[in-house]
Amino acid sequence: MFKNLGKLKNLINKKEVKINLNELKSGINFFENFIIYENNNDIKVYDRICDHQGGKIISKNGIAICPIHIWEFNPKTGFYNNGVKKKEVKYLISKNFIKINDVSYIPEITKVKKKLNTEIRFFNHAFLKISGEDFSFSTDPWAIGPAFNTGWWLKHSTKNDWIEQLNNSNFIYISHNHPDHLHPLTLSKINKTIPIVVPKFVTKSTEMYIKDLGFKNIKVLDFNFQYNLKGTNLNISIFKSGDFREDSGIYFSNGEFTGLLSVDANMINFNRLPKANFYGSSFAGGASGYPLMFDNYKLEEQMKISLKDKIFLKQKLYDCLKKILPNYFMPYAGFFSEKLKRDEKIFKNNKKNSIDDYLKFCKLNKIKLLNVLKNDVYKFNGIKLINKKNIDIQVAKDLRPEKYLEYYKKEYKKIDENYIRQYFLKSNFKDNLLLYICLTDDNFKLLNKNYLINFSKNQISFNKISKFTKGFLKKDPNFKKLVLKVRKESFLNTIYNKLPWEDLSIGFQCKVLRNPNLYNVNFWHYFTNIYTTSQNVRSVTNCASCKSLNHFFDNQIHQIQTKL
C-alpha cells in the first residue's frame, strides 16, 4: 500500500553561539536560549525549552522553573523535580569560550512541480478528509457521542454522510489514543477492513487499541520517514510530539501543495518545522483537567493558571505560524464542550480561545485564515485556493447527552472489588507512590468506597480504607501521594474496558490532590500508554464491552426513528 521513500530530507541551518567563560558564575547561569551549570570547571549545558509543553524555563528566586505548569528543573542533577531527565546540549571549549552549535532543522517532504487539485473537508473537531485527484484519507474521526467518560461532547453536529466518507477513504490516520481522536463508537460504525495508519510509538499504545476494536489492516509508520501511497501523488510523513507524550501529526504533499497537521501535539517534531502551504492545528485550549480539577489550588488560583495557559497556547501557536509561514491556517481540533448538567462549573470556568482570536495575527502576517465554521470545504489548485463552500446537508442523528449518561450509570453500576484488586496487583507498576482511589457521585461526594494502592513494594499492595481524610497526605513522608476522587461509573468504565487513565483526568472525571504537588509523570504515562487494552490488562472478569454502547446507541436511534 505504501512505498517507503526513506528518511525525510532536512535543510540544516547552523548558528554558533559563543559564551565567554569569564561570564560564568558558580552555579546556574541563564543565557538567551541556554542554561549553563558550572561547578569547579565542571560545565553542563541545557536548552531553555521545558520538556513538558514547550514553555521557556526562567529563573525565579534562583530556581530554574517553567512558569506554565511550575515544572522545576535542577541543572546540577539534570532532572526535573518529578523525575523527568533533561538532555544535555553538546559544546566545545576553545580560547576561553564555550561554543554551542545552535542547529535548526527544516524537514522537506518529496514533492513534484505539478498543479494538482487538493480538497480539505472539515467534519468535526479533529476529523478531516483530505482528497486529491487519485487519493483520499481521513483523520481522527469523532462524529457522534461523548469522549473522555462523558466529559467532552462535540460542540456542533456532524453532517450525516460521515460514514460513507470514511468508508471510501484510502486510509484513516489516527494521531494518538485519546478518545477525541481514537473514538470507539465512531469507529464501530465503519468498515473494519479499511487501512488504519498509526504512528510507531514505543509502547504501541494506539496500535493495540485499534486492534482491540477489531481492525485488521493496521499500517504502523515510522517517524520522519516519508511514504508514497502507491499509484498516487500523495506522500506522507508522521511527526512525533516533542514532549514525552505519545502524540503525533502528519506532514503531506500532493504535487506542489504541502500541508502539516500538528493536531494537538506539543512541540511537533521537536519544533523542527517545515515550510508548508497549509497548516492545521488545535487552537482552543481548555483540553485538560489541570488546573480546574486540582484540589491543591483554590478557585482563584485555578482561574489565574487557566488564563495563563490560554494565553500561552495562543502565543505558542503564533510562534509555530512564524516558523512555518503557511499560505493558509486552519484552526481545528478544538470544538468540544462540557454539556452535562453535572459539569456546569467546568463549562463556566473552562475558558477557551476562539477562531477569531487568530484573525488579527494572520492578517498582519499575510496568512489566510480558513474558518471551518463558515465553510467546511476548501479546494486548491496547486497552492492557490480556488473554491470554498459549506455543504448543505442534514446532520447525523445522535442521542442527548443525558441519554448517554443514563447508559453509563446503568452499565457501570456494579462494583467488582475483586476485579479492581486484581487490576492493580497485576499491573507490575513500580514507583515510590501511594495511590488513593475514592469513588464518588456526580458531585464528587465520597461513596465510602476507598482504596489504597502501594506501588513502592516488591509486591504491590491493595487495601480498602473505611474513610479518607487529608491526614493521609501527612503520613509516610518518604512516599509520594496521589489522591483521585473519581466518579464511580467513569472509573469502572476505564478499568473494566482497559482504557487510558488520562480519559479520567482530561475528561474532568476526577478531583486530584497531590503531595508533593508535582506531576506524577511515570504513573500517568504507564496507565495511559502501557497498561491498557486487552493485550496488556488480563481481565479476571468480562464486566463490559465496547459493543454494548454501540448496541445501546443503535436501539435508541431506532426508537427515535420509529416515533418519527
Side-chain angles (χ1 to χ4, degrees):
M1 180 176 181
F2 289 103
K3 180 181 179 182
N4 189 333
L5 303 179
K7 282 196 170 184
L8 277 179
K9 295 177 182 177
N10 281 283
L11 302 175
I12 301 174
N13 292 328
K14 288 185 179 181
K15 181 176 70 174
E16 187 177 72
V17 175
K18 296 171 68 174
I19 297 171
N20 194 318
L21 285 170
N22 295 330
E23 296 181 40
L24 297 184
K25 63 180 183 181
S26 180
I28 306 173
N29 299 266
F30 281 82
F31 295 90
E32 183 179 358
N33 294 319
F34 298 98
I35 298 171
I36 297 180
Y37 180 79
E38 194 279 337
N39 181 32
N40 294 325
N41 295 321
D42 179 24
I43 294 172
K44 297 178 180 179
V45 180
Y46 308 90
D47 64 49
R48 288 181 62 180
I49 298 172
C50 179
D51 292 79
H52 181 211
Q53 288 194 355
K56 191 168 186 177
I57 297 172
I58 63 171
S59 176
K60 184 177 181 181
N61 300 323
I63 297 172
I65 195 167
C66 177
I68 307 306
H69 294 117
I70 320 301
W71 274 42
E72 186 179 318
F73 173 62
N74 185 344
K76 181 178 180 180
T77 64
F79 285 86
Y80 293 89
N81 59 354
N82 58 14
V84 174
K85 184 172 177 57
K86 188 168 182 61
K87 188 177 179 180
E88 290 187 38
V89 174
K90 294 180 180 179
Y91 65 90
L92 294 173
I93 294 179
S94 176
K95 297 180 180 179
N96 211 44
F97 280 92
I98 297 175
K99 294 183 178 180
I100 307 167
N101 281 328
D102 195 358
V103 182
S104 61
Y105 299 86
I106 303 174
E108 188 174 51
I109 200 165
T110 298
K111 56 185 179 180
V112 293
K113 292 183 179 180
K114 290 182 181 179
K115 287 188 177 182
L116 302 176
N117 290 326
T118 306
E119 182 179 280
I120 299 175
R121 179 178 172 187
F122 170 79
F123 283 86
N124 218 324
H125 195 57
F127 179 6
L128 301 177
K129 186 171 185 180
I130 298 171
S131 306
E133 297 166 9
D134 50 12
F135 72 87
S136 68
F137 71 93
S138 299
T139 70
D140 290 339
W142 174 25
I144 52 173
F148 296 110
N149 281 294
T150 74
W152 286 32
W153 303 84
L154 289 165
K155 194 171 183 179
H156 310 286
S157 298
T158 311
K159 292 178 178 174
N160 67 4
D161 64 337
W162 66 268
I163 296 176
E164 175 191 352
Q165 292 295 328
L166 282 174
N167 279 334
N168 64 29
S169 300
N170 289 104
F171 64 88
I172 298 171
Y173 160 68
I174 304 289
S175 61
H176 61 298
N177 73 354
H178 283 168
D180 59 323
H181 302 266
L182 197 171
H183 191 257
L185 180 59
T186 297
L187 293 173
S188 73
K189 304 296 180 185
I190 66 172
N191 190 339
K192 297 299 185 297
T193 63
I194 189 169
I196 307 288
V197 169
V198 300
K200 193 175 183 179
F201 294 127
V202 173
T203 67
K204 301 183 179 179
S205 56
T206 305
E207 175 187 348
M208 290 189 303
Y209 200 162
I210 294 291
K211 285 181 180 177
D212 251 18
L213 296 179
F215 289 88
K216 307 296 182 184
N217 196 0
I218 302 171
K219 307 296 181 183
V220 183
L221 302 189
D222 217 338
F223 296 108
N224 286 102
F225 280 77
Q226 52 185 331
Y227 301 85
N228 171 254
L229 181 63
K230 290 180 181 178
T232 77
N233 290 287
L234 175 68
N235 295 329
I236 65 170
S237 183
I238 308 298
F239 285 166
K240 190 190 175 302
S241 63
D243 56 11
F244 49 81
R245 294 170 59 246
E246 295 206 338
D247 204 343
S248 72
I250 188 168
Y251 176 37
F252 66 93
S253 70
N254 177 37
E256 65 182 15
F257 183 87
T258 57
L260 172 65
L261 301 174
S262 63
V263 202
D264 50 12
N266 292 317
M267 299 179 289
I268 187 74
N269 200 35
F270 304 88
N271 279 332
R272 298 169 179 176
L273 301 173
K275 303 297 182 185
N277 306 118
F278 169 86
Y279 177 51
S281 170
S282 60
F283 69 98
S288 171
Y290 180 85
L292 296 178
M293 302 301 291
F294 281 66
D295 286 338
N296 291 90
Y297 309 100
K298 295 179 180 178
L299 180 59
E300 184 180 350
E301 293 175 290
Q302 290 173 348
M303 295 306 294
K304 285 181 179 178
I305 295 169
S306 185
L307 177 61
K308 185 167 59 176
D309 281 359
K310 181 172 174 275
I311 295 169
F312 172 67
L313 172 66
K314 190 161 58 174
Q315 186 57 55
K316 190 166 65 169
L317 191 44
Y318 289 167
D319 292 340
C320 283
L321 287 164
K322 287 177 183 176
K323 286 184 178 181
I324 297 168
L325 293 175
N327 304 87
Y328 310 97
F329 169 52
M330 179 180 282
Y332 83 125
F335 300 103
F336 73 94
S337 184
E338 308 83 11
K339 291 186 177 181
L340 287 174
K341 186 176 181 180
R342 69 181 187 177
D343 289 329
E344 282 180 339
K345 185 178 177 182
I346 293 294
F347 176 76
K348 178 183 176 182
N349 295 323
N350 192 22
K351 304 300 182 183
K352 307 175 184 74
N353 295 314
S354 71
I355 290 177
D356 289 344
D357 289 331
Y358 297 88
L359 277 170
K360 184 177 179 181
F361 175 86
C362 287
K363 188 174 181 180
L364 287 172
N365 289 275
K366 298 180 180 180
I367 298 169
K368 177 73 174 177
L369 188 144
L370 307 181
N371 189 336
V372 297
L373 299 182
K374 293 181 179 179
N375 298 284
D376 53 18
V377 176
Y378 294 88
K379 189 170 183 178
F380 305 85
N381 178 250
I383 63 173
K384 184 179 179 181
L385 178 64
I386 58 172
N387 189 26
K388 57 183 179 181
K389 62 181 179 179
N390 193 49
I391 294 179
D392 185 19
I393 58 175
Q394 289 184 332
V395 298
K397 287 184 169 60
D398 202 354
L399 306 178
R400 292 181 293 108
E402 291 79 8
K403 270 291 179 186
Y404 282 105
L405 184 58
E406 176 187 311
Y407 161 80
Y408 280 100
K409 294 273 190 182
K410 183 178 179 180
E411 188 75 12
Y412 305 109
K413 184 178 181 179
K414 180 183 177 182
I415 300 174
D416 186 338
E417 289 190 338
N418 182 55
Y419 178 94
I420 297 171
R421 178 187 301 273
Q422 294 302 317
Y423 174 89
F424 286 110
L425 294 182
K426 293 181 178 182
S427 68
N428 294 322
F429 178 64
K430 300 296 181 201
D431 197 7
N432 189 36
L433 176 70
L434 301 179
L435 172 68
Y436 294 89
I437 298 291
C438 306
L439 301 188
T440 77
D441 65 7
D442 286 358
N443 299 312
F444 297 102
K445 182 179 178 181
L446 299 184
L447 299 177
N448 294 320
K449 294 290 183 180
N450 310 305
Y451 311 103
L452 168 60
I453 302 95
N454 186 340
F455 292 110
S456 68
K457 302 177 181 178
N458 290 331
Q459 180 76 33
I460 297 170
S461 66
F462 175 95
N463 292 287
K464 293 174 63 176
I465 52 178
S466 58
K467 186 178 181 181
F468 174 80
T469 66
K470 289 189 178 180
F472 284 111
L473 296 177
K474 297 178 182 178
K475 292 182 180 180
D476 302 315
N478 295 323
F479 293 95
K480 297 176 289 185
K481 291 104 175 176
L482 176 63
V483 182
L484 300 179
K485 297 179 181 178
V486 197
R487 286 169 172 159
K488 171 187 163 184
E489 73 282 349
S490 298
F491 174 74
L492 297 178
N493 175 41
T494 299
I495 67 165
Y496 288 170
N497 287 314
K498 310 107 184 164
L499 301 177
W501 273 53
E502 282 186 353
D503 287 15
L504 296 171
S505 60
I506 295 175
F508 318 111
Q509 299 304 302
C510 61
K511 291 273 192 174
V512 180
L513 186 63
R514 309 180 293 200
N515 184 22
N517 186 19
L518 302 172
Y519 178 48
N520 301 103
V521 60
N522 294 331
F523 170 82
W524 289 107
H525 176 76
Y526 190 87
F527 284 92
T528 293
N529 298 302
I530 298 173
Y531 193 56
T532 59
T533 75
S534 59
Q535 182 172 332
N536 286 330
V537 182
R538 303 299 179 215
S539 299
V540 292
T541 170
N542 183 21
C543 296
S545 167
C546 296
K547 293 179 182 178
S548 59
L549 177 55
N550 191 9
H551 182 67
F552 172 81
F553 175 87
D554 288 339
N555 282 344
Q556 292 292 319
I557 290 295
H558 177 71
Q559 290 177 25
I560 293 170
Q561 290 171 336
T562 302
K563 289 178 182 178
L564 293 175

PDB file of all heavy atoms in Angstrom, residues 83-96:
ATOM      1  N   GLY A  83      11.171  13.808  38.313  1.00  0.00           N
ATOM      2  CA  GLY A  83      11.905  12.633  37.849  1.00  0.00           C
ATOM      3  C   GLY A  83      12.209  12.580  36.374  1.00  0.00           C
ATOM      4  O   GLY A  83      12.932  11.682  35.922  1.00  0.00           O
ATOM      5  N   VAL A  84      11.690  13.512  35.572  1.00  0.00           N
ATOM      6  CA  VAL A  84      11.968  13.526  34.135  1.00  0.00           C
ATOM      7  C   VAL A  84      13.376  14.069  33.897  1.00  0.00           C
ATOM      8  O   VAL A  84      13.756  15.107  34.447  1.00  0.00           O
ATOM      9  CB  VAL A  84      10.938  14.389  33.382  1.00  0.00           C
ATOM     10  CG1 VAL A  84      11.306  14.518  31.915  1.00  0.00           C
ATOM     11  CG2 VAL A  84       9.545  13.780  33.523  1.00  0.00           C
ATOM     12  N   LYS A  85      14.163  13.371  33.066  1.00  0.00           N
ATOM     13  CA  LYS A  85      15.534  13.798  32.785  1.00  0.00           C
ATOM     14  C   LYS A  85      15.574  14.716  31.575  1.00  0.00           C
ATOM     15  O   LYS A  85      14.884  14.474  30.580  1.00  0.00           O
ATOM     16  CB  LYS A  85      16.430  12.576  32.528  1.00  0.00           C
ATOM     17  CG  LYS A  85      17.905  12.936  32.313  1.00  0.00           C
ATOM     18  CD  LYS A  85      18.775  11.700  32.252  1.00  0.00           C
ATOM     19  CE  LYS A  85      20.232  12.033  31.970  1.00  0.00           C
ATOM     20  NZ  LYS A  85      20.809  12.955  32.953  1.00  0.00           N
ATOM     21  N   LYS A  86      16.379  15.759  31.648  1.00  0.00           N
ATOM     22  CA  LYS A  86      16.551  16.680  30.530  1.00  0.00           C
ATOM     23  C   LYS A  86      17.875  16.380  29.833  1.00  0.00           C
ATOM     24  O   LYS A  86      18.905  16.162  30.478  1.00  0.00           O
ATOM     25  CB  LYS A  86      16.535  18.136  31.021  1.00  0.00           C
ATOM     26  CG  LYS A  86      16.527  19.165  29.899  1.00  0.00           C
ATOM     27  CD  LYS A  86      16.216  20.557  30.439  1.00  0.00           C
ATOM     28  CE  LYS A  86      16.152  21.572  29.314  1.00  0.00           C
ATOM     29  NZ  LYS A  86      15.103  21.268  28.318  1.00  0.00           N
ATOM     30  N   LYS A  87      17.832  16.365  28.505  1.00  0.00           N
ATOM     31  CA  LYS A  87      19.027  16.047  27.729  1.00  0.00           C
ATOM     32  C   LYS A  87      20.007  17.222  27.734  1.00  0.00           C
ATOM     33  O   LYS A  87      19.613  18.374  27.579  1.00  0.00           O
ATOM     34  CB  LYS A  87      18.618  15.722  26.285  1.00  0.00           C
ATOM     35  CG  LYS A  87      19.745  15.192  25.425  1.00  0.00           C
ATOM     36  CD  LYS A  87      19.219  14.820  24.039  1.00  0.00           C
ATOM     37  CE  LYS A  87      20.328  14.297  23.149  1.00  0.00           C
ATOM     38  NZ  LYS A  87      19.814  13.944  21.792  1.00  0.00           N
ATOM     39  N   GLU A  88      21.292  16.903  27.900  1.00  0.00           N
ATOM     40  CA  GLU A  88      22.317  17.948  27.860  1.00  0.00           C
ATOM     41  C   GLU A  88      22.628  18.325  26.414  1.00  0.00           C
ATOM     42  O   GLU A  88      22.491  17.518  25.488  1.00  0.00           O
ATOM     43  CB  GLU A  88      23.599  17.471  28.551  1.00  0.00           C
ATOM     44  CG  GLU A  88      23.473  17.327  30.061  1.00  0.00           C
ATOM     45  CD  GLU A  88      24.794  17.010  30.727  1.00  0.00           C
ATOM     46  OE1 GLU A  88      25.828  17.569  30.291  1.00  0.00           O
ATOM     47  OE2 GLU A  88      24.807  16.194  31.674  1.00  0.00           O
ATOM     48  N   VAL A  89      23.063  19.555  26.242  1.00  0.00           N
ATOM     49  CA  VAL A  89      23.467  20.070  24.928  1.00  0.00           C
ATOM     50  C   VAL A  89      24.986  19.932  24.801  1.00  0.00           C
ATOM     51  O   VAL A  89      25.736  20.286  25.720  1.00  0.00           O
ATOM     52  CB  VAL A  89      23.047  21.552  24.767  1.00  0.00           C
ATOM     53  CG1 VAL A  89      23.587  22.129  23.462  1.00  0.00           C
ATOM     54  CG2 VAL A  89      21.526  21.673  24.825  1.00  0.00           C
ATOM     55  N   LYS A  90      25.449  19.422  23.656  1.00  0.00           N
ATOM     56  CA  LYS A  90      26.888  19.266  23.439  1.00  0.00           C
ATOM     57  C   LYS A  90      27.542  20.626  23.189  1.00  0.00           C
ATOM     58  O   LYS A  90      26.920  21.534  22.613  1.00  0.00           O
ATOM     59  CB  LYS A  90      27.142  18.337  22.255  1.00  0.00           C
ATOM     60  CG  LYS A  90      26.700  16.894  22.503  1.00  0.00           C
ATOM     61  CD  LYS A  90      26.990  16.019  21.292  1.00  0.00           C
ATOM     62  CE  LYS A  90      26.553  14.584  21.543  1.00  0.00           C
ATOM     63  NZ  LYS A  90      26.808  13.718  20.367  1.00  0.00           N
ATOM     64  N   TYR A  91      28.803  20.740  23.605  1.00  0.00           N
ATOM     65  CA  TYR A  91      29.520  22.007  23.436  1.00  0.00           C
ATOM     66  C   TYR A  91      31.024  21.732  23.345  1.00  0.00           C
ATOM     67  O   TYR A  91      31.502  20.631  23.656  1.00  0.00           O
ATOM     68  CB  TYR A  91      29.229  22.946  24.604  1.00  0.00           C
ATOM     69  CG  TYR A  91      29.757  22.446  25.941  1.00  0.00           C
ATOM     70  CD1 TYR A  91      31.041  22.773  26.377  1.00  0.00           C
ATOM     71  CD2 TYR A  91      28.969  21.613  26.743  1.00  0.00           C
ATOM     72  CE1 TYR A  91      31.522  22.301  27.587  1.00  0.00           C
ATOM     73  CE2 TYR A  91      29.452  21.128  27.943  1.00  0.00           C
ATOM     74  CZ  TYR A  91      30.727  21.476  28.362  1.00  0.00           C
ATOM     75  OH  TYR A  91      31.222  20.997  29.550  1.00  0.00           O
ATOM     76  N   LEU A  92      31.772  22.744  22.934  1.00  0.00           N
ATOM     77  CA  LEU A  92      33.235  22.707  22.936  1.00  0.00           C
ATOM     78  C   LEU A  92      33.750  23.927  23.681  1.00  0.00           C
ATOM     79  O   LEU A  92      33.083  24.969  23.728  1.00  0.00           O
ATOM     80  CB  LEU A  92      33.778  22.727  21.506  1.00  0.00           C
ATOM     81  CG  LEU A  92      33.488  21.505  20.623  1.00  0.00           C
ATOM     82  CD1 LEU A  92      33.949  21.788  19.186  1.00  0.00           C
ATOM     83  CD2 LEU A  92      34.190  20.258  21.165  1.00  0.00           C
ATOM     84  N   ILE A  93      34.950  23.808  24.242  1.00  0.00           N
ATOM     85  CA  ILE A  93      35.606  24.962  24.865  1.00  0.00           C
ATOM     86  C   ILE A  93      36.866  25.267  24.075  1.00  0.00           C
ATOM     87  O   ILE A  93      37.712  24.389  23.855  1.00  0.00           O
ATOM     88  CB  ILE A  93      35.943  24.695  26.342  1.00  0.00           C
ATOM     89  CG1 ILE A  93      34.656  24.538  27.155  1.00  0.00           C
ATOM     90  CG2 ILE A  93      36.785  25.837  26.904  1.00  0.00           C
ATOM     91  CD1 ILE A  93      34.876  24.257  28.625  1.00  0.00           C
ATOM     92  N   SER A  94      36.962  26.492  23.597  1.00  0.00           N
ATOM     93  CA  SER A  94      38.117  26.905  22.796  1.00  0.00           C
ATOM     94  C   SER A  94      38.429  28.372  23.069  1.00  0.00           C
ATOM     95  O   SER A  94      37.527  29.224  23.005  1.00  0.00           O
ATOM     96  CB  SER A  94      37.820  26.695  21.304  1.00  0.00           C
ATOM     97  OG  SER A  94      38.880  27.171  20.507  1.00  0.00           O
ATOM     98  N   LYS A  95      39.677  28.643  23.395  1.00  0.00           N
ATOM     99  CA  LYS A  95      40.145  30.015  23.610  1.00  0.00           C
ATOM    100  C   LYS A  95      39.239  30.774  24.584  1.00  0.00           C
ATOM    101  O   LYS A  95      38.788  31.895  24.323  1.00  0.00           O
ATOM    102  CB  LYS A  95      40.239  30.766  22.281  1.00  0.00           C
ATOM    103  CG  LYS A  95      41.248  30.164  21.316  1.00  0.00           C
ATOM    104  CD  LYS A  95      41.302  30.938  20.015  1.00  0.00           C
ATOM    105  CE  LYS A  95      42.315  30.320  19.051  1.00  0.00           C
ATOM    106  NZ  LYS A  95      42.374  31.034  17.762  1.00  0.00           N
ATOM    107  N   ASN A  96      38.983  30.111  25.714  1.00  0.00           N
ATOM    108  CA  ASN A  96      38.220  30.719  26.808  1.00  0.00           C
ATOM    109  C   ASN A  96      36.749  30.974  26.468  1.00  0.00           C
ATOM    110  O   ASN A  96      36.075  31.760  27.117  1.00  0.00           O
ATOM    111  CB  ASN A  96      38.862  32.037  27.271  1.00  0.00           C
ATOM    112  CG  ASN A  96      38.629  32.273  28.756  1.00  0.00           C
ATOM    113  OD1 ASN A  96      38.769  31.343  29.573  1.00  0.00           O
ATOM    114  ND2 ASN A  96      38.242  33.490  29.121  1.00  0.00           N
TER     115      ASN A  96
END
